[in-house]
């Protein structure tokens, strides 16, 4: 599908003018403006790709399937752009197509854009003889002109609003000279009459001379000798004096600016004179960019545009051709000696304007330690791809470019600096995302034991490749060049394997302050140094060295703060239940309901199905659910052609209402929209308009379009009271403190940061975060609450090898957390759904997984053991199928009903009340039958009498068999 964008307006990075001359269009149209879709804005020479914007100015949706766009060349039947079937522009909406992403031709200095309908009849055209300073666009009357700001996907702007004058502190020198620079970042002059500067003392005050004015965009410097008025404490009045007579700027000081009304309008404080490599004379503190950014270390630019010192962070490795797990990505490294706060940093490519809304800034509080790496990954920090001829630019929170690298042509492997962090970029075969670049032999120095090892010191090497690696000839040294050991020729490390070199092999011991160095010929390819023995070992952890939790000789490192994953606790007999396609291509969420049913949702269409789970874990469509039902936004109630929600997760509450977790509107895939929608599944389809909607976009952290809510799970207040920690009260959760919708909380998993948010939804559409849980997986794609063991499961996809995180909510701020590997026979695939049966029968139950992106083998099932907790006094025991749950592929022991349904399955996250309803229904049926028979017996005589016990037993048996009138929905609890 083309990548054209339906996006809101955003601010351009730069504006070349404040107004534009409207000119008559060079136009040949088949229809008048306002009657049909029109070409609305054209970018032919931007900093990124060329693009064309269409606009529907009518009051009706227009289908432009198979319409054609070309430039001044006749490309129809060749490389003209053809809109795919199903492309619709809504009334008043815009649609943008982009060079290299949608169309292959570029737009020239003297060129045209021509639009044709599906019958190849001309609809609209615009031609030009020179590039526009910004873009060409139509005004509200349809007249073409030069715009003042490019606005792809939004109304055109021909004149920017005037900004009043605004004066700020812009640069400060506290040593060896004392001076302050002001800057007017507005569009109007500002009189500085009555304005004054103060340091950190209100007694130290200097006022500007009368008549001082600062023009728009002007820098004004106040130095030590600048004349003005200074505050005389003896007379409590201003007297003539210079700046230095009032203020001497100190090493730990502040500078404050006050207006004529005595209001403080700007301030900056610091500790320590600014210096660059110890040189104070060359350094200041300055805003970058001028007038807007935060104060940073800068070079002296007195009275001119600021030049801040970039942190010693470099782009270190780039994948532009998409690896199978992480997509495209770029790695940065801190090559300096000081930590760098990278909060708010973001990545852009060669289309900074078009992709400005497709980035997710780095989370607040993220610090890059010296020598550490950070990876900007596709679908996490940005939602666009990197091209064959492209660039990566890393921007700080103020938009200042920290580092940039461009290329022509994808690398055969990856683009990486060699030597790591400091060298030039070159094509390297082996990707080492988040770790030292594999510039020579890609072997990785992984773990070091320098004291009390078994049997002595040892060095561990790791092969990061998926093929065997020859390491013979590499030389191992400590910090003494005379201590050298050459690995014997022919030594091979298996793919993903480890090689441990013992002290007896390399012939020297490792000291308390020492190094391990690896040489390939004369080139140093790996090194780690330390100043004292580690209490355990030193280990490479997520690209940085640290102390391990324990020695893991010849195994994967276990670093401080990491959780050691345990083997999958259940069966290894994983089986697909849909060898023949049952669902669509984007199966995403699962949740169980009742004793034997399972909901399945598709994120591409918003359609969901109800399935009957069988005794062997396989699935059949519930009666009437073969075609599923599609969820729609309330705003689309009268528009059945709308694309609908990107339905990533599904859950069911205790009353049987279905909830959909949404991360965006499929009609606007470039914009994040985190939401929860509620529908009543008992209502007739094929479409269900949401009865309730909760917009969580502003409640949850800002993320890029496709990295928002991936999972949703309703959990009852009964299961959470006193067990979940409430971060708002600092106490265990008490549901009475919240007006919770559906008598429970909704847990949502966010893909971008891998966190789980417990959210209280209110009837008025508002939402409150009650707690935030970190599964420490790196990503969360599915959630399920285990009502048997009262644990919350979070599941990751192939991005973290299908690991599971299990929280045991215990009423504390840090609940117990365990990790489990996926089952050994479970392929490492993009599983985005997970659901557990919550009835334990015979010591076993089923777990189902949903894989996104495939049409068949999308849902898999496996069993795992379980134990029913003792019932509370006065509570009935949980019912279960005698004989237990069958292993996948095997038949369960005979059930009381003799049918296919597995009575040992129940809702995950919903109240397990189904058995009560069955019994109550059986009694009602029996009562009605007995009453009818007695009336009949009264009318016809004693020969029709039926024993009451027989009637009740028969009614209960029918209910147990699940008998229902033809056509009744299994979820209809009315």
């Amino acid at each position: 599908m083309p990548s054209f964008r339906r996006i809101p307006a955003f601010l351009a990075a730069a504006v070349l003018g404040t107004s534009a001359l409207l000119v008559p269009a060079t136009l040949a149209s088949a229809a008048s403006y306002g009657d049909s879709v029109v070409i609305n804005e054209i970018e032919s020479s931007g900093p990124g790709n060329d693009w064309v914007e269409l606009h529907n100015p009518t009051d009706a949706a227009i289908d432009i399937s198979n319409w054609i766009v070309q430039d001044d060349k006749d490309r129809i039947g060749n490389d003209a752009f053809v809109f795919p079937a199903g492309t619709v522009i809504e009334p008043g909406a815009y649609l943008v197509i982009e060079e290299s992403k949608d169309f292959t031709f570029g737009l020239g200095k003297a060129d045209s854009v021509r639009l044709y309908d599906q019958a190849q009849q001309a609809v609209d055209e615009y031609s030009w003889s020179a590039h526009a300073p910004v873009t060409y666009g139509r005004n509200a009357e349809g007249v073409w002109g030069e715009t003042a700001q490019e606005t792809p996907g939004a109304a055109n702007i021909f004149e920017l609003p005037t900004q009043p004058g605004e004066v700020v502190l812009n640069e400060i020198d506290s040593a060896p000279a004392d001076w302050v620079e002001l800057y007017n970042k507005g569009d109007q002059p500002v009189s500085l009459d009555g304005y004054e500067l103060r340091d950190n003392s209100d007694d130290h005050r200097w006022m500007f001379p009368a008549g001082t004015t600062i023009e728009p965009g002007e820098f004004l410097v106040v130095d030590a000798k600048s004349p003005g008025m200074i505050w005389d404490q003896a007379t409590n009045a201003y007297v003539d004096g210079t700046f230095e007579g009032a203020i001497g700027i100190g090493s730990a000081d502040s500078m404050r600016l006050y207006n004529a009304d005595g209001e403080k309008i700007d301030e900056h404080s610091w500790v320590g004179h600014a210096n660059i490599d110890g040189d104070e004379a060359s350094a200041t503190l300055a805003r970058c960019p001028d007038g807007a950014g935060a104060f940073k270390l800068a070079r002296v630019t007195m009275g001119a545009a600021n030049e801040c010192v970039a942190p010693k962070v470099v782009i270190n490795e780039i994948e532009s051709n998409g690896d199978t797990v992480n997509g495209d990505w770029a790695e940065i490294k801190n090559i300096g000696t000081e930590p760098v706060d990278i909060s708010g940093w973001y990545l852009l490519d060669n289309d900074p304007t078009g992709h400005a809304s497709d980035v997710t800034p780095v989370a607040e509080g993220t610090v890059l330690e010296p020598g550490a790496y950070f990876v900007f990954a596709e679908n996490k920090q940005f939602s666009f791809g990197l091209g064959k001829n492209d660039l990566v630019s890393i921007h700080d929170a103020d938009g200042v470019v920290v580092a940039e690298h461009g290329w022509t042509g994808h690398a055969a492997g990856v683009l990486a600096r060699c030597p790591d962090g400091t060298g030039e970029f070159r094509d390297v075969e082996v990707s080492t995302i988040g770790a030292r670049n594999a510039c020579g032999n890609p072997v990785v120095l992984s773990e070091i034991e320098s004291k009390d090892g078994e049997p002595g010191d040892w060095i561990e090497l790791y092969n990061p490749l998926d093929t065997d690696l020859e390491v013979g000839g590499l030389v191992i040294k400590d910090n003494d060049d005379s201590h050298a050991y050459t690995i014997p020729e022919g030594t091979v490390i298996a793919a993903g394997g480890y090689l441990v070199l013992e002290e007896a092999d390399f012939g020297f011991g490792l000291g308390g302050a020492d190094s391990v160095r690896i040489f390939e010929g004369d080139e140093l390819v790996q090194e780690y140094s330390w100043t004292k023995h580690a209490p355990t070992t030193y280990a490479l952890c997520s690209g940085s060295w640290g102390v391990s939790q324990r020695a893991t000789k010849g195994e994967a490192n276990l670093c401080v703060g990491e959780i050691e994953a345990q083997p999958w606790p259940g069966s290894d007999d994983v089986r697909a239940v849909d060898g023949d396609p049952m669902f669509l291509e984007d199966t995403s969420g699962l949740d169980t309901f009742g004793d034997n049913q399972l909901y399945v949702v598709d994120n591409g269409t918003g359609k969901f199905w109800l399935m009957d789970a069988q005794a062997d874990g396989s699935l059949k469509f519930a009666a009437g659910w073969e075609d599923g039902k599609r969820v729609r936004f309330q705003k689309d109630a009268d528009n059945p052609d709308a694309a609908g929600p990107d339905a990533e997760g599904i859950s069911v509450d205790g009353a049987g209402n279905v909830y959909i977790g949404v991360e965006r509107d499929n009609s606007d895939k470039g914009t994040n929209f985190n939401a929860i929608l509620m529908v009543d599944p008992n209502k007739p389809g094929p479409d269900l308009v949401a009865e309730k909607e909760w917009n969580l976009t502003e409640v949850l952290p800002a993320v890029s379009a496709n990295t928002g809510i991936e999972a949703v799970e309703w959990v009852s207040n009964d299961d959470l009271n006193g067990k979940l920690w409430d971060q708002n009260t600092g106490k265990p959760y008490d549901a009475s403190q919240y007006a919770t919708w559906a008598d429970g909380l909704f847990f949502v998993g966010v893909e971008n940061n891998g966190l789980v948010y417990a959210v209280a939804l209110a009837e008025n559409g508002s939402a409150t975060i009650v707690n935030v849980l970190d599964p420490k997986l790196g990503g969360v794609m599915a959630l399920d609450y285990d009502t048997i063991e009262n644990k919350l499961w979070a599941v990751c996809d192939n991005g973290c090898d299908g690991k599971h995180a299990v929280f045991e909510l215990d009423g504390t701020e840090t609940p117990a957390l365990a990790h489990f590997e996926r089952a050994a026979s479970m392929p490492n695939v993009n599983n985005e759904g997970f659901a557990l049966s919550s009835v334990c029968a015979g010591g076993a139950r089923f777990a189902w997984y949903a894989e996104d992106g495939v049409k068949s083998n999308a849902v898999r099932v496996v069993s795992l053991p379980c134990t029913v907790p003792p019932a509370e006094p006065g509570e009935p025991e949980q019912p279960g199928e005698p004989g237990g749950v069958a292993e996948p592929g095997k038949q369960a022991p005979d059930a009381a009903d003799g049918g296919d349904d597995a009575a040992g399955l129940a809702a995950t996250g919903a109240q397990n009340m189904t058995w009560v309803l069955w019994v109550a229904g059986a009694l009602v049926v029996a009562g009605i039958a007995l009453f009818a028979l007695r009336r009949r017996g009264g009318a016809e005589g004693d020969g029709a009498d039926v024993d009451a016990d027989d009637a009740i037993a028969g009614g209960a048996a029918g209910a147990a068999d699940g008998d229902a009138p033809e056509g009744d929905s299994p979820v209809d609890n009315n």
Side-chain angles (χ1 to χ4, degrees):
M1 188 74 176
S3 58
F4 43 73
R5 293 170 283 124
R6 297 175 174 88
I7 57 178
F10 51 84
L11 294 178
V15 177
L16 301 182
T18 58
S19 63
L21 176 65
L22 295 177
V23 296
T26 305
L27 183 63
S29 295
S32 300
Y33 180 77
D35 295 337
S36 183
V37 169
V38 296
I39 302 166
N40 196 60
E41 189 175 4
I42 301 169
E43 171 61 88
S44 63
S45 63
N49 297 328
D50 296 341
W51 50 265
V52 177
E53 175 190 87
L54 304 185
H55 174 51
N56 178 2
T58 75
D59 57 3
I62 298 179
D63 188 334
I64 61 169
S65 302
N66 299 314
W67 285 31
I68 301 167
V69 171
Q70 61 181 0
D71 58 359
D72 61 352
K73 307 288 191 305
D74 289 328
R75 302 178 184 273
I76 295 177
N78 188 11
D79 60 345
F81 174 73
V82 180
F83 288 94
T87 304
V88 175
I89 306 182
E90 300 298 327
Y94 303 84
L95 185 149
V96 177
I97 57 173
E98 190 172 348
E99 177 195 4
S100 80
K101 294 180 172 60
D102 302 310
F103 56 89
T104 57
F105 51 88
L107 301 177
K109 182 178 180 180
D111 210 336
S112 302
V113 172
R114 295 181 287 168
L115 177 66
Y116 300 82
D117 64 18
Q118 70 273 17
Q120 300 185 13
Q121 298 298 307
V123 176
D124 198 6
E125 176 180 347
Y126 183 68
S127 301
W128 61 94
S129 58
H131 290 307
V134 185
T135 63
Y136 288 112
R138 289 181 185 270
N139 68 8
E141 286 72 43
V143 179
W144 282 90
E146 295 176 0
T147 67
Q149 176 178 308
E150 62 177 39
T151 57
N156 295 335
I157 296 176
F158 294 92
E159 185 172 350
L160 295 175
T162 300
Q163 299 294 326
E166 183 178 355
V167 180
V168 295
L169 300 170
N170 198 55
E171 189 174 5
I172 302 169
D173 189 357
S174 64
D178 284 1
W179 53 268
V180 179
E181 176 188 273
L182 275 63
Y183 176 68
N184 181 356
K185 64 179 185 178
D187 295 332
Q188 300 294 322
V190 175
S191 170
L192 297 180
D193 287 356
Y195 279 59
E196 62 178 54
L197 293 169
R198 305 179 191 178
D199 62 6
N200 60 0
S201 171
D202 285 334
D203 295 331
H204 301 162
R205 301 160 65 175
W206 178 87
M207 182 179 290
F208 287 87
T212 303
T213 300
I214 182 168
E215 297 297 323
E218 182 184 5
F219 302 92
L220 188 151
V221 175
V222 177
D223 63 21
K225 302 300 183 182
S226 293
M229 305 285 287
I230 64 174
W231 183 255
D232 183 354
Q233 298 182 54
T235 61
N236 286 329
Y238 281 102
V239 298
D240 291 338
T242 60
F243 181 75
E244 65 182 353
I247 296 174
I249 307 177
S251 64
D253 210 340
S254 299
M255 187 54 57
R256 298 176 289 166
L257 175 64
Y258 289 78
N259 64 17
D261 295 325
E263 300 169 334
K264 182 172 66 177
I265 58 175
D266 202 7
E267 178 180 18
H268 182 63
S269 301
W270 62 91
V271 177
H273 293 305
N275 72 87
I276 299 175
D277 296 327
D279 181 9
E280 295 178 352
S282 65
T284 62
L285 297 172
R287 291 186 187 276
C288 289
D290 290 288
F295 277 90
K296 301 182 179 71
L297 180 65
R299 294 179 173 85
V300 175
T301 58
M302 188 176 185
N306 292 338
E307 182 184 346
C308 287
V309 177
K312 293 184 177 180
V313 173
V314 298
I315 299 170
N316 195 52
E317 190 175 359
I318 300 169
E319 170 60 84
S320 64
N321 204 18
D323 71 33
T324 56
V325 175
N326 301 291
D328 294 343
W329 50 267
E331 169 194 278
I332 60 173
K333 180 180 181 180
N334 181 357
I335 61 173
T337 58
E338 299 294 329
V340 177
D341 187 340
I342 61 171
S343 303
W345 287 27
Y346 57 94
L347 176 150
L348 288 171
D349 62 353
N350 64 357
D351 186 12
T353 302
H355 289 150
S357 62
D358 300 331
V359 300
T360 301
V362 176
E364 190 67 29
T366 304
V367 175
L368 193 64
E369 298 294 336
Y373 304 85
F374 181 87
V375 176
F376 291 85
E378 184 180 3
N379 291 328
K380 287 188 178 293
Q381 282 76 33
F382 58 94
S383 57
F384 47 87
L386 300 177
K388 182 177 180 180
N389 304 304
D390 212 334
L391 65 80
V392 163
S393 59
I394 304 299
H395 300 249
D396 68 15
D398 296 313
V400 177
V401 176
V402 176
E404 186 172 82
H405 182 71
W407 61 90
T408 55
H410 291 304
V414 292
L415 293 173
R417 288 188 184 273
C418 291
D420 182 81
T422 58
E424 297 297 320
F425 278 93
R426 72 187 200 202
D427 193 331
V428 174
E429 178 184 0
V430 179
S431 161
T432 57
I433 182 171
R436 183 185 182 94
N437 292 343
C439 296
N441 189 299
V443 70
V444 175
L445 177 61
S446 179
E447 190 172 5
I448 300 168
E449 172 62 86
S450 64
K451 181 184 179 183
D452 300 329
E454 290 292 340
D457 296 343
W458 48 266
I459 299 166
E460 178 188 86
L461 305 181
Y462 169 65
N463 174 9
L465 306 183
D466 56 7
T467 59
D468 292 350
L469 177 63
E470 166 73 48
V471 293
L474 295 179
V475 177
I476 309 296
K477 296 183 179 182
D478 62 1
N479 61 1
D480 183 344
D481 283 336
S482 66
H483 295 165
Y485 168 71
T486 301
I487 298 176
E489 292 294 338
T491 303
V492 172
I493 307 177
Y498 298 85
L499 172 67
V500 176
L501 303 176
E502 302 284 359
E503 184 177 349
D505 297 327
F506 50 79
F508 50 86
L510 301 175
D514 211 337
S515 303
V516 170
R517 297 176 292 165
I518 303 177
F519 290 84
E520 185 173 24
D522 294 331
E523 182 181 0
L524 177 65
V525 295
Q526 301 256 347
E527 178 182 18
Y528 180 67
S529 301
W530 60 94
T531 58
K532 61 181 180 179
H533 291 302
T536 52
T537 61
Y538 287 109
L540 189 64
C541 304
S542 301
S544 300
W545 281 87
V547 175
S548 66
Q549 285 192 42
R550 62 174 176 82
T552 54
K553 189 176 182 179
E555 300 175 351
N557 294 342
L558 182 62
C559 303
V560 173
E562 292 184 345
I563 298 174
E564 187 169 13
Q566 304 171 47
W568 168 249
S571 164
D572 190 38
D573 188 4
V574 178
R575 179 175 59 90
V577 303
D578 59 335
D580 294 326
M582 299 176 69
F583 311 109
L584 301 179
E585 195 170 354
D586 296 307
T587 309
S588 188
L590 302 173
D591 201 25
T592 48
F593 174 67
D595 285 347
N596 63 343
Q597 293 182 312
L598 185 77
Y599 279 109
V600 181
V601 71
D602 177 86
N603 65 60
T605 60
K607 181 175 286 190
F608 71 104
W609 297 263
L610 181 66
M611 313 300 296
D612 287 334
Q614 308 302 302
D616 63 351
S618 62
L619 302 176
K620 293 182 179 179
F621 290 109
W625 280 87
E626 292 79 3
D627 295 327
K629 298 180 182 181
R630 186 174 68 122
V631 178
R632 290 167 49 198
F633 290 113
Q634 291 175 353
K635 69 180 181 65
D636 297 331
D638 298 324
N639 182 18
D641 294 329
D646 183 354
E648 296 288 344
I650 190 167
S651 190
V652 194
D653 70 12
N657 295 308
V658 167
Y659 298 84
I660 301 297
V662 177
E663 69 177 356
R664 57 184 175 174
D665 183 344
N666 281 326
S667 297
D668 185 13
K669 288 191 173 183
T671 304
N672 172 245
F673 178 67
N674 285 323
I676 296 176
L677 313 182
M678 187 197 87
V679 295
D680 180 352
N682 296 312
K683 291 189 174 180
D687 288 1
L688 299 177
V689 175
E691 300 188 3
K692 298 285 293 184
E693 295 184 358
W694 290 269
N695 183 350
L696 304 186
T697 310
E698 300 301 324
V699 177
L700 299 173
V703 297
S704 58
N706 196 29
T707 63
I709 291 177
E710 279 292 326
V712 62
E713 177 71 356
W714 174 85
V715 184
S716 73
N717 285 330
D718 288 344
D719 287 325
L720 295 175
N721 274 323
K723 296 175 182 176
L724 178 71
W725 185 259
D726 186 339
Q727 65 182 27
N728 302 317
T729 64
K731 299 177 181 178
Y733 173 68
D734 178 359
S736 67
Q737 301 299 308
Y738 299 90
T740 55
W741 178 263
D743 194 28
L745 297 182
F746 291 79
F747 289 74
V748 293
V750 175
E751 178 181 357
N752 179 269
N753 58 21
L755 299 180
V756 177
Y757 297 81
V759 182
L761 304 183
E763 186 172 5
N764 64 3
S766 64
T768 303
I769 295 176
V770 177
N771 194 13
V772 182
L773 298 169
D774 184 1
K776 300 186 183 300
L777 291 174
V780 174
M781 307 308 260
L783 293 170
D784 204 46
Y785 187 74
D786 180 354
T787 54
I788 293 179
E789 298 184 358
N790 295 316
K791 295 177 181 178
L792 179 68
W793 287 65
V795 180
C796 190
D797 60 4
N798 53 338
C800 39
D801 297 323
K803 285 189 173 65
H804 306 66
V806 182
F807 288 98
E808 185 169 358
L809 304 179
D810 54 10
T812 68
E813 193 170 2
T814 55
L817 175 62
H819 280 184
F820 294 95
E821 303 285 359
R822 70 182 190 277
S825 62
M826 172 71 74
N828 191 22
V829 294
N830 187 24
N831 281 329
E832 293 194 354
F834 175 75
L836 284 164
S837 166
S838 63
V839 169
C840 181
R845 55 177 165 165
F846 288 122
W848 290 270
Y849 295 81
E851 179 184 354
D852 188 13
V854 296
K855 287 187 176 179
S856 60
N857 300 322
V859 178
R860 294 177 173 87
V861 64
V862 66
S863 67
L864 71 162
C866 56
T867 302
V868 179
E872 295 292 331
E875 292 185 359
E877 292 287 340
Q878 186 181 40
E881 183 73 15
V885 174
E887 290 292 318
K890 301 176 183 178
Q891 182 64 35
D894 290 340
D897 62 2
D900 291 334
D901 291 352
L905 308 179
T908 301
Q911 295 287 62
N912 183 30
M913 295 296 293
T914 310
W915 68 275
V916 176
L917 296 175
W918 281 120
V919 172
L923 293 174
V924 171
V925 171
I928 293 171
L930 181 59
F931 177 73
L933 288 169
R934 284 182 171 173
R935 290 193 60 180
R936 178 181 171 189
E940 298 182 2
D942 294 341
D945 287 347
V946 178
D947 186 270
D949 293 336
D950 291 340
I952 294 173
D961 282 347
D963 292 339
E966 284 293 322
D968 284 359
S969 169
V971 280
D972 192 347
N973 295 322
N974 295 328

